[in-house]
């Protein structure tokens, strides 16, 4: 577990650049965090004493249990989220797994939004129940359902902006209900990033990220983070040490470097995505566009009060179902077909055969993923070039498309 670096002033841009510097004495005082590429550390009297006294929580003595470079990047994320503490992981799913398993003990119950990233849904729908915890799913925007289900629950779990339909969670209300019933409020804020909202300021106890996405930002690493209060994060860290999904120091250093430009990147992602959402909305062949700051988004009022920006994802549906969606993706020349998001390059994927392939067609349509749905992760390129690419692909894919593209990836 890493503690927030209290020497950092509160502005997000300052925290992104200066937060979480690893101690590099007695080496030269470099501008960057050193990569402590060591699996183990020489033990001395102080280390043995800490191991005996605390189990070794204050000392670095074996890298699965803690590493200075990894802890430095976790401290930077803690600073960005305004959290007292954070723990880094090898992936977003490792962070989510350790977090939900800690928040609800065996025999406990989690209330989760049904609109979730596919793998997180599978974790909660299938894996977590096998471990003796039960999970109740509610529609994310149905506050009555949260109110009904939260009494007696151990944890609430939701995404700030749901993947892929971009519904906006009513963070203050859900956090308030969880608090009223003594449940730990957990939010996956991967899609929003701490630049667009800091969920702990709205009452959430824990915020998790797939740092693979915006925090990493360059499609070159896998990582996850959870941030929150020291006691809660310490409990998650204790489980994480046993689960073993630890981040490696080289990746931590890459993530640390990426975070320095997070605020700059997010500003461009926000601007580009809003412009593209508005442009798509004006196209005859586009049946639906979901972007939190569009006037006709069901949660636009909430988005305007909660979010500093709408983030970089635009989900849309062109006429012609999945076959047209596949043809449209094939016709793009700049935007790349790939199933991730949050990088500097624009990526597009069809949730039905990628991020939400684990769901049945009925489960997908219940959360709004209708045939033809595409998830566009808008990068930081020149927005005019992206719009040209989309315009050309819409035209090129316009003729009726035939054939079964069910296996299309
Ligand atoms: N949370 C969200 C919202 C995601 O979109 C993803 C991956 O796409 C994850 C968590 C899982 O993160 P990772 O792939 O880093 O394990």
């Amino acid at each position: 577990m890493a503690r927030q670096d209290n020497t950092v002033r509160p502005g997000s841009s300052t925290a992104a650049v200066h937060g979480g510097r690893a101690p590099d004495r007695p080496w030269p005082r470099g501008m960057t965090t050193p990569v402590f590429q060591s699996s183990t550390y020489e033990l001395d009297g102080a280390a043995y004493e800490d191991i005996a006294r605390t189990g070794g929580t204050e000392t670095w003595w074996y890298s699965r249990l803690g590493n200075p470079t990894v802890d430095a990047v976790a401290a930077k994320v803690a600073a960005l989220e305004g959290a007292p503490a954070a723990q880094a992981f090898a992936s977003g799913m490792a962070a989510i797994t350790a977090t939900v398993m800690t928040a609800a003990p065996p025999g406990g119950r989690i209330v989760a939004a049904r609109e979730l990233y596919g793998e997180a849904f599978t974790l909660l729908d299938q894996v977590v129940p096998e471990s003796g915890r039960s999970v109740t799913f509610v529609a994310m925007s149905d506050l009555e359902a949260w109110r009904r289900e939260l009494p007696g629950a151990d944890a609430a779990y939701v995404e700030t902006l749901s993947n892929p339909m971009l519904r906006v969670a009513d963070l203050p209300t859900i956090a308030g209900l969880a608090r009223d019933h003594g449940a730990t409020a957990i939010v996956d804020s991967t899609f929003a990033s701490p630049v667009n909202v800091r969920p702990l300021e709205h009452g959430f106890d824990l915020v998790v990220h797939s740092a693979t996405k915006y925090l990493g930002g360059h499609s070159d690493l896998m990582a996850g983070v959870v941030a929150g209060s020291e006691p809660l994060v310490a409990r998650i860290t204790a489980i994480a040490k046993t689960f073993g999904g630890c981040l490696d120091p080289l990746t931590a250093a890459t993530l640390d470097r990426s975070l320095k430009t997070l605020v700059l990147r997010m500003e461009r992602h926000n601007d580009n995505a809003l412009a593209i959402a508005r442009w798509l909305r004006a196209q005859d062949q586009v049946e639906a566009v979901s972007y939190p700051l569009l006037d006709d988004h069901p949660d636009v009022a909430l988005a305007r009060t909660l979010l500093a920006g709408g983030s970089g994802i635009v989900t849309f549906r062109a006429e012609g179902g999945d076959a047209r969606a596949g043809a449209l993706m094939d016709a793009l020349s700049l935007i790349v077909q790939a199933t991730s998001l949050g990088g500097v390059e624009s990526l597009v994927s069809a949730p039905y055969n990628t991020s939400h392939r684990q769901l049945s067609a009925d489960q997908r349509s219940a959360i709004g993923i209708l045939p033809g749905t595409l998830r566009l992760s808008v990068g930081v390129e020149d927005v005019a070039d992206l719009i040209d690419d989309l315009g050309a692909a819409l035209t090129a894919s316009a003729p009726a498309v035939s054939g079964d593209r069910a296996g299309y990836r």
Side-chain angles (χ1 to χ4, degrees):
M1 181 185 77
R3 292 182 182 87
Q4 190 187 150
D5 182 349
N6 289 326
T7 60
V8 175
R9 291 211 312 276
S12 290
S13 298
T14 309
V17 176
H18 292 287
R21 278 208 193 130
D24 62 354
R25 315 300 194 269
W27 294 279
R29 301 171 64 185
M31 268 308 111
T32 55
T33 299
V35 183
F36 288 88
Q37 190 68 24
S38 190
S39 59
T40 193
Y41 308 83
E42 188 177 351
L43 294 167
D44 59 10
Y48 283 124
E49 198 216 312
D50 176 49
I51 294 165
R53 200 167 44 83
T54 72
T57 56
E58 301 299 322
T59 315
W60 290 297
W61 57 294
Y62 185 64
S63 271
R64 173 163 45 75
L65 313 178
N67 170 286
T69 315
V70 173
D71 288 352
V73 81
K76 192 188 282 282
V77 176
L80 283 163
E81 285 291 1
Q87 174 67 41
F89 292 83
S91 71
M93 284 310 300
I96 293 168
T97 304
T99 301
V100 299
M101 291 299 208
T102 307
R109 189 164 65 87
I110 299 166
V111 183
R114 62 181 184 167
E115 297 89 345
L116 295 178
Y117 166 55
E119 210 80 60
F121 180 78
T122 302
L123 173 76
L124 289 163
D125 187 43
Q126 292 169 29
V127 182
V128 166
E130 282 170 10
S131 74
R133 295 141 171 104
S134 65
V135 180
T136 312
F137 287 100
V138 297
M140 179 194 199
S141 307
D142 185 349
L143 296 177
E144 274 315 307
W146 288 99
R147 201 166 276 127
R148 190 177 60 242
E149 300 298 344
L150 272 171
D154 298 278
Y157 185 88
V158 68
E159 292 175 3
T160 307
L161 295 172
S162 67
N163 182 351
M165 296 314 297
L166 308 172
R167 294 304 300 261
V168 184
D170 186 338
L171 298 181
T173 304
I174 295 170
L177 289 170
R179 193 180 329 108
D180 289 348
H181 297 292
T184 305
I186 307 164
V187 60
D188 176 341
S189 208
T190 299
F191 271 38
S193 91
V195 178
N196 286 326
V197 67
R198 307 210 303 177
L200 304 189
E201 290 172 359
H202 298 284
F204 268 76
D205 298 300
L206 291 165
V207 54
V208 289
H209 285 280
S210 167
T212 313
K213 317 299 185 197
Y214 287 114
L215 304 191
H218 298 73
S219 307
D220 57 1
L221 62 85
M222 303 281 310
V225 185
V226 60
S229 72
E230 274 196 42
L232 278 179
V233 175
R235 282 177 52 214
I236 296 166
T237 301
I239 276 204
K241 289 174 176 179
T242 307
F243 280 5
C246 55
L247 185 60
D248 78 279
L250 266 178
T251 306
T254 310
L255 177 58
D256 183 88
R257 178 185 162 127
S258 297
L259 281 167
K260 293 179 184 181
T261 56
L262 176 70
V263 178
L264 305 178
R265 287 186 281 108
M266 287 315 300
E267 286 168 1
R268 178 65 82 92
H269 285 299
N270 288 344
D271 291 349
N272 278 2
L274 180 59
I276 287 177
R278 286 185 174 143
W279 180 84
L280 282 169
R281 196 81 200 78
Q283 306 310 303
D284 288 343
Q285 297 175 44
V286 175
E287 288 176 341
V289 184
S290 180
Y291 187 73
L293 296 178
L294 283 188
D295 290 340
D296 62 356
H297 188 284
D299 307 319
V300 64
L302 191 56
R304 290 206 173 113
T305 56
L306 269 186
L307 305 175
S311 213
I313 318 294
V314 181
T315 300
F316 69 100
R317 214 172 62 235
E319 289 170 347
D322 287 331
R324 168 70 183 284
L328 196 158
M329 288 196 290
D330 285 346
L332 291 164
S333 56
L334 181 62
I335 300 168
V336 180
Q337 289 183 53
T339 184
S340 194
L341 60 107
V344 290
E345 59 290 290
S346 295
L347 304 180
V348 66
S349 60
Y352 86 91
N353 62 11
T354 54
S355 59
H356 290 73
R357 69 195 177 284
Q358 308 93 327
L359 276 63
S360 67
D362 284 348
Q363 285 174 321
R364 281 195 293 269
S365 63
I367 62 169
I369 308 175
L370 302 181
T373 299
L374 289 177
R375 189 187 75 188
L376 176 63
S377 172
V378 180
V380 301
E381 302 96 333
D382 294 295
V383 72
D385 292 335
L386 297 174
I387 288 175
D388 282 354
D389 198 27
L390 285 165
L394 271 172
T395 306
S397 62
V401 191
S402 61
D404 176 15
R405 297 186 61 93
Y408 189 87
R409 295 193 72 84

